[in-house]
């Protein structure tokens, strides 16, 4: 599958799909950023991507993002649909700093993958479900 991408800077590494390693693609910070604890920022990721019709991108932090930078993504998982595809539709990561931090230009801070849209669903109301009852929320315990 070929997907069009526009870069807003030539100072970040180009996106690459590393076959056999992971089907998530790393995204990079497109500028040097300093944040104070409690500060919010939309971090520019330096790209706009024209997703194919019927697809959306899910953007999430990398597993090391909090450890390395002390930031959390404020929308938990960013969803970018194929209509956000214009020449100025740069991708961003909304973050909250949990400690004072510095993020450098080209640091890998989040990742994305694309998914096909969910099929149309019709809900059928019932008084009883037939599946095995697990016991409710938290039923698997702590260990």
């Amino acid at each position: 599958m070929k997907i069009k991408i526009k870069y807003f800077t030539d100072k970040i590494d180009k996106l690459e799909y590393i076959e056999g390693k992971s089907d998530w693609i790393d995204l990079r910070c497109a500028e040097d950023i300093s944040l104070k604890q409690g500060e919010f920022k939309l971090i520019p990721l330096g790209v706009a991507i024209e997703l194919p019709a019927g697809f959306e991108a899910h953007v999430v932090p990398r597993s090391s993002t909090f450890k390395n930078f002390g930031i959390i993504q404020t929308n938990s998982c960013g969803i970018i649909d194929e209509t956000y595809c214009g020449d100025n539709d740069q991708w961003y990561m909304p973050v909250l700093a949990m400690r004072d931090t510095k993020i450098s230009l080209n640091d890998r801070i989040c990742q994305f993958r694309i998914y096909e849209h969910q099929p149309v669903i019709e809900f059928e109301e019932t008084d009883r479900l037939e599946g095995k009852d697990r016991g409710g929320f938290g039923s698997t315990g702590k260990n």
Side-chain angles (χ1 to χ4, degrees), residues 56-71:
E56 62 192 26
H58 293 198
V59 179
V60 299
R62 297 179 75 243
S63 60
S64 61
T65 297
F66 184 77
K67 175 181 68 87
N68 291 338
F69 304 109
I71 57 174

Side-chain angles (χ1 to χ4, degrees), residues 120-130:
V120 175
I121 295 174
E122 181 180 326
F123 293 99
E124 179 183 340
E125 193 171 336
T126 184
D127 291 329
R128 179 160 169 66
L129 299 175
E130 299 301 321

Side-chain angles (χ1 to χ4, degrees), residues 4-65:
K4 291 182 181 178
I5 183 170
K6 174 186 174 180
Y7 289 92
F8 288 84
T9 177
D10 61 359
K11 295 184 168 109
I12 59 171
D13 292 351
K14 304 288 187 197
L15 270 58
E16 63 179 319
Y17 180 84
I18 303 172
E19 193 168 348
K21 182 177 178 191
S22 172
D23 57 358
W24 288 83
I25 299 167
D26 288 337
L27 293 163
R28 297 170 180 273
C29 183
E31 63 185 41
D32 288 325
I33 292 174
S34 293
L35 295 170
K36 297 289 185 194
Q37 182 178 359
E39 191 174 356
F40 171 82
K41 172 88 173 159
L42 286 174
I43 297 179
L45 301 173
V47 297
I49 298 177
E50 192 174 307
L51 297 171
F55 284 82
E56 62 192 26
H58 293 198
V59 179
V60 299
R62 297 179 75 243
S63 60
S64 61
T65 297

